[in-house]
Amino acid sequence: MDAGALNPRLRSSAEGNYYKECQSVREELKEIMRPHIGDGHSLYVLSNTTHGLLTILAYLATSRKLIDTSDFLYPGYEFLQREIATEGQWSVNTHICPMTGNILSKSGLLGDRLVVDGAQSFFTTSHHHSLLHAKVFIAPFHKNLGIQIGMGVLAISNDIDSRHVHDVAKSAESGAGNIDLLRTALDNFKAEGGSLYNCTVINIDKNTLDLAKRRQIEIVTPPGLYGPFVCLKTDAGSPLPKTFHKFGFETKYFPSHGILRVSKFSPGPHELKIDLSRIFFEALQYTVGHND
């Protein structure tokens, strides 16, 4: 398990034990993340949220003996041969819906057999800490945290009722990862210091709803959520994106659902909250005022 195990064309970037170096960088990444996650979860650095979900699915396939391991098996996959009790039904919940802004209640985060997609809440000043109530959650590094594309985390509670899921996650994390991605993520994490969170909060109040209703704009995100973005119903030719850009917001349009998501990245520490509710209202007011 050293650089000699790599194809000769790939050895130019490898010094010493490549696999060991990858694991060392992963462990350092986890140590930097630890104060923000706490000690209740084991962390596994993967490619993205989908990789995390597929890891759980692999675990379930193993627990239900859906994989035939009777023939010759690579030693690194020996965890597939373990005989364990059949698991019950698992669920997958989304903490914050990316196309509505609806937020899962605390009770919806709980359960040993529940995977929570925390892509929209991970490292947000408003909802990151509620995500930590989940026994298992997955999240990417490229959204609110914003330190690296092509990497994410699978967090599994240390007191979950199956230890085998940790074995599967460890296997999913191991192997010849891209050490350049790992090092870049680590460097970016260190460079950000305490400004790792997206501190934006936007609340939809009665005045905003009344204004939108008068101008026949449907705001999908419910009031009182104080999330990092707001979703509206609109069409592809709407002037809304350009207007929100003028006010410093970012937008993403989902044409299949006719949804415009309006957001803002405001880096800072977890204690900071930057309330952009008023600016959102002014942007909406500007839009309708210039299209009468």
Side-chain angles (χ1 to χ4, degrees), residues 31-289:
E31 285 305 307
I32 292 179
M33 293 178 65
R34 181 58 61 194
H36 305 278
I37 307 297
D39 297 325
H41 293 79
S42 291
L43 305 179
Y44 302 93
V45 177
L46 305 177
S47 300
N48 48 42
T49 49
T50 303
H51 190 184
L53 180 57
L54 290 175
T55 299
I56 299 298
L57 293 177
Y59 158 69
L60 293 175
T62 304
S63 68
R64 287 165 171 77
K65 299 181 182 179
L66 299 178
I67 300 174
D68 182 2
T69 59
S70 58
D71 294 327
F72 178 78
L73 193 69
Y74 167 64
Y77 298 148
E78 287 179 348
F79 69 89
L80 296 173
Q81 295 177 324
R82 290 191 49 176
E83 293 188 7
I84 60 175
T86 300
E87 290 289 344
Q89 187 75 35
W90 278 59
S91 301
V92 180
N93 283 347
T94 298
H95 190 195
I96 301 180
C97 177
M99 287 187 286
T100 65
N102 285 318
I103 300 173
L104 202 64
S105 66
K106 182 178 177 180
S107 62
L109 291 167
L110 304 177
D112 277 357
R113 296 182 177 88
L114 172 66
V115 182
V116 176
D117 173 8
Q120 305 297 337
S121 55
F122 190 61
F123 274 85
T124 63
T125 193
S126 49
H127 299 292
H128 173 84
H129 277 240
S130 63
L131 175 63
L132 303 183
H133 288 103
K135 290 290 186 76
V136 179
F137 67 84
I138 50 180
F141 285 177
H142 69 269
K143 291 193 176 178
N144 291 291
L145 178 57
I147 62 164
Q148 182 58 50
I149 297 171
M151 292 184 65
V153 65
L154 166 62
I156 303 175
S157 173
N158 294 320
D159 65 358
I160 201 166
D161 62 2
S162 171
R163 299 305 306 174
H164 185 49
V165 68
H166 289 277
D167 296 336
V168 178
K170 185 176 180 180
S171 178
E173 178 188 64
S174 65
N178 187 328
I179 198 166
D180 293 329
L181 284 180
L182 288 166
R183 286 171 174 162
T184 301
L186 181 59
D187 290 343
N188 289 343
F189 226 127
K190 291 177 177 178
E192 289 297 329
S195 299
L196 288 163
Y197 289 83
N198 184 0
C199 300
T200 296
V201 293
I202 307 172
N203 181 48
I204 301 302
D205 60 13
K206 185 178 183 301
N207 289 337
T208 306
L209 285 175
D210 288 345
L211 173 64
K213 186 176 181 180
R214 287 198 303 270
R215 302 300 178 173
Q216 297 183 327
I217 297 174
E218 182 183 352
I219 296 179
V220 180
T221 304
L225 296 183
Y226 287 93
F229 59 84
V230 173
C231 296
L232 309 94
K233 276 276 189 182
T234 188
D235 55 53
S238 168
L240 286 171
K242 289 184 178 179
T243 300
F244 281 113
H245 295 164
K246 287 179 183 292
F247 283 77
F249 291 101
E250 296 132 19
T251 62
K252 179 176 175 59
Y253 185 63
F254 299 92
S256 59
H257 293 77
I259 294 290
L260 179 70
R261 188 173 68 202
V262 181
S263 62
K264 173 72 173 176
F265 177 64
S266 307
H270 179 259
E271 297 77 19
L272 180 64
K273 286 183 172 59
I274 300 177
D275 193 336
L276 300 181
S277 306
R278 181 64 192 176
I279 298 176
F280 180 88
F281 177 85
E282 291 173 355
L284 195 63
Q285 195 173 42
Y286 179 92
T287 300
V288 298

